Amino acid sequence: METIKKVFRILKAKKLFSKATKKELFIYDENTFRSGYANFFHENDCFIFDTRYKKLYIFLYIKAILKKIIFFSKEHIFQLYTIEVIRAVDPKYVICFSHYTLIFWDLKKYFKDIIFIICQHHISLGYDGKYHLNPILMAKERFKNKKKIDHIFLWGDAMIKGFKECLDGNFYQSGSIKNNSYKNLEIENKKDLLFMSQYYQNRLNSSQTKIPLEDGTNTLKYDFNFNERKIVLNILHEYCLVHNLNLVIAPRQYKKEDLNEEEEYYKKILKDKKFVFLNRSKQFQVYEEFNKYKYFAVIGCSTGYEAMARGRRVAHLNVVYDLSGISGGKNHRFGWPGNFPIKGPFWTNKGTKEEIFRCLDFIYQTNDENWEEIKKKYIDPIIIYDEDNKVFKNNLKKIGLKVK
């Protein structure tokens, strides 16, 4: 089935008969690059490589197929194609804005004179199962030795320590590059509790993915997401009623049709209960919301960590395994791969009212001095905030890469 899908993607791809243009900078994966990183470089200086079969340099793809057949290469055809495109572009630098793309790690061995760079795109959750793959575990299983990447930008020291087990190179504590692009303002909004949505439309194939459970059965991703959110959001709503707070939901979608669908989804969960559903019109609007709200609740969400880096107080409810029994989810914990307890002052792995209330009480009731101590101990090792990306940009400039 997967092979058939790939054939259809190839047939639908835009066929390019021109030569790949020589550029100094090769950007691996256009989709990720345009997810918040396109403002760092002048696109005229870049070759932006599509990895999603939207377009193919047809002659280079045929060349990759022939190499696969004639030389019995163990590499996948798309990896051989990628190698051919990089050779044609002849860049000085290759950058990938994703830290867990293992096929990218493997490219360096073919281009020892080219400088390879990776950047952390979002948080990793540390599962040992198939729902959320564990990149460190996968790398150790896939590669006999550490892979070489010249420059590696990760959110914090905990991630650096974990990835040093499978990567060799120059590591930098950069924080979230997208989050760093937004200025941080002080906020004293104590009347709202903001829940960050991770909603995907039911019509998307990903929502229909079968997720393996510990008991050997399967569930649809859409169904278990709905069930866990229904439990958590109703508890959050009860907390808001008790403490005279407003429950606010920050949507994931930003296109009008999708936004309306998402709002109906949460109305279905909360029924006649009162909540505020924010209007979102921009892709990265959530980073602006950090300057409007101080208290947050999330379920295994990268933006929850990014909000904390900017001083916001966030209850991390790592309850997916407890509420759904996801295969391999026992190791899903706050701050992975940092070695933090399964429960902490503002996080829990239990979806009970008592535990969720405990986390919310802490973020609302602890004083600023205590929160700063907590931040230094539990948040700074995972993610820092580096306003205007000084670490990222300065170190790229040091190796000769042109940055805006």
Side-chain angles (χ1 to χ4, degrees):
M1 181 62 71
E2 191 61 35
T3 302
I4 295 172
K5 286 182 181 178
K6 191 171 289 186
V7 169
F8 275 111
R9 288 165 68 191
I10 293 169
L11 292 174
K12 287 175 64 177
K14 180 180 178 181
K15 312 301 187 298
L16 302 175
F17 294 91
S18 58
K19 291 183 178 180
T21 310
K22 291 183 181 294
K23 297 286 184 178
E24 183 177 69
L25 175 60
F26 184 103
I27 295 172
Y28 183 93
D29 188 3
E30 179 175 10
N31 190 68
T32 307
F33 172 63
R34 299 203 185 281
S35 298
Y37 309 101
N39 59 326
F40 288 102
F41 310 106
H42 296 285
E43 291 199 15
N44 289 338
D45 299 331
C46 308
F47 181 91
I48 304 171
F49 181 59
D50 167 57
T51 63
R52 315 290 172 114
Y53 288 98
K54 293 179 181 177
K55 52 190 176 185
L56 288 171
Y57 285 88
I58 193 64
F59 294 124
L60 294 178
Y61 196 78
I62 292 171
K63 188 175 181 180
I65 294 172
L66 291 175
K67 284 195 170 184
K68 176 75 172 178
I69 296 170
I70 295 171
F71 298 106
F72 302 101
S73 175
K74 294 180 180 180
E75 295 283 11
H76 293 295
I77 290 174
F78 195 84
Q79 187 77 333
L80 293 171
Y81 166 68
T82 303
I83 292 166
E84 292 303 320
V85 176
I86 294 176
R87 284 175 176 159
V89 174
D90 190 27
K92 185 176 180 181
Y93 311 92
V94 177
I95 189 169
C96 178
F97 288 93
S98 168
H99 62 296
Y100 57 88
T101 306
L102 301 189
I103 56 173
F104 180 82
W105 296 14
D106 215 23
L107 287 169
K108 174 65 180 178
K109 66 185 180 185
Y110 297 101
F111 303 99
K112 299 189 186 302
D113 294 331
I114 295 177
I115 297 173
F116 274 65
I117 306 161
I118 60 172
C119 309
Q120 184 173 348
H121 181 45
H122 55 59
I123 205 69
S124 297
L125 298 178
Y127 282 88
D128 294 333
K130 295 180 180 179
Y131 169 51
H132 273 296
L133 297 178
N134 181 323
I136 294 174
L137 185 65
M138 289 172 59
K140 289 180 177 180
E141 291 175 351
R142 180 167 178 164
F143 306 124
K144 292 181 180 179
N145 302 307
K146 290 184 181 182
K147 303 304 291 185
K148 169 70 176 177
I149 297 291
D150 298 285
H151 301 280
I152 304 155
F153 294 89
L154 300 175
W155 284 9
D157 283 338
M159 190 66 69
I160 289 173
K161 183 178 179 181
F163 273 81
K164 278 187 174 181
E165 296 178 14
C166 50
L167 277 177
D168 186 27
N170 297 301
F171 286 84
Y172 307 91
Q173 184 182 210
S174 64
S176 163
I177 292 170
K178 283 191 288 187
N179 193 37
N180 295 339
S181 299
Y182 292 81
K183 290 189 178 297
N184 196 37
L185 304 177
E186 292 295 325
I187 181 70
E188 288 297 333
N189 178 355
K190 295 183 178 181
K191 296 298 295 178
D192 297 318
L193 173 63
L194 189 140
F195 176 79
M196 291 188 185
S197 171
Q198 293 175 279
Y199 169 79
Y200 279 102
Q201 301 98 313
N202 191 23
R203 63 180 179 272
L204 293 182
N205 290 334
S206 60
S207 293
Q208 301 305 310
T209 301
K210 288 186 177 181
I211 305 299
L213 304 180
E214 284 286 332
D215 63 8
T217 62
N218 295 291
T219 185
L220 292 180
K221 183 178 180 180
Y222 180 88
D223 291 339
F224 93 77
N225 279 339
F226 181 88
N227 292 334
E228 75 187 29
R229 289 168 190 160
K230 183 176 181 180
I231 293 169
V232 169
L233 277 163
N234 278 280
I235 294 173
L236 295 180
H237 186 272
E238 183 178 349
Y239 186 89
C240 289
L241 278 180
V242 171
H243 294 87
N244 195 27
L245 303 172
N246 302 310
L247 177 59
V248 181
I249 297 178
R252 182 188 185 101
Q253 308 302 318
Y254 61 95
K255 295 178 181 178
K256 185 63 177 175
E257 179 185 349
D258 298 334
L259 191 66
N260 292 339
E261 183 181 309
E262 184 172 0
E263 185 174 11
E264 290 302 314
Y265 173 85
Y266 285 107
K267 285 180 179 178
K268 186 177 178 181
I269 285 177
L270 288 163
K271 299 189 182 301
D272 59 348
K273 295 182 175 73
K274 184 179 179 181
F275 67 96
V276 177
F277 187 80
L278 296 179
N279 182 38
R280 181 174 179 176
S281 58
K282 295 180 288 186
Q283 185 175 3
F284 306 113
Q285 186 172 317
V286 67
Y287 296 103
E288 298 173 4
E289 306 298 351
F290 294 169
N291 287 332
K292 301 175 185 177
Y293 298 90
K294 184 174 182 177
Y295 301 94
F296 297 76
V298 299
I299 304 174
C301 177
S302 291
T303 46
Y305 289 90
E306 291 169 310
M308 287 193 307
R310 284 168 59 179
R312 305 305 174 252
R313 300 188 182 193
V314 184
H316 280 263
L317 312 176
N318 307 312
V319 299
V320 176
Y321 179 77
D322 183 51
L323 298 181
S324 304
I326 298 300
S327 175
K330 289 181 180 178
N331 285 326
H332 174 211
R333 64 182 62 222
F334 171 81
W336 184 91
N339 189 25
F340 298 105
I342 203 76
K343 295 180 185 179
F346 55 86
W347 73 89
T348 183
N349 70 331
K350 294 293 182 182
T352 64
K353 173 182 170 179
E354 291 73 21
E355 271 296 289
I356 292 175
F357 270 40
R358 177 185 66 79
C359 293
L360 294 171
D361 281 344
F362 185 84
I363 66 171
Y364 270 99
Q365 295 175 12
T366 192
N367 61 46
D368 290 341
E369 183 179 353
N370 190 34
W371 182 259
E372 280 304 310
E373 292 177 4
I374 289 291
K375 183 176 183 294
K376 289 177 183 177
K377 185 175 181 179
Y378 295 117
I379 300 171
D380 292 349
I382 305 166
I383 180 171
I384 65 164
Y385 173 65
D386 177 36
E387 188 171 321
D388 198 34
N389 284 296
K390 293 181 285 292
V391 171
F392 179 61
K393 292 193 287 191
N394 289 343
N395 281 287
L396 291 186
K397 289 175 182 177
K398 283 180 183 178
I399 60 173
L401 189 51
K402 298 176 184 176
V403 182
K404 282 185 181 178

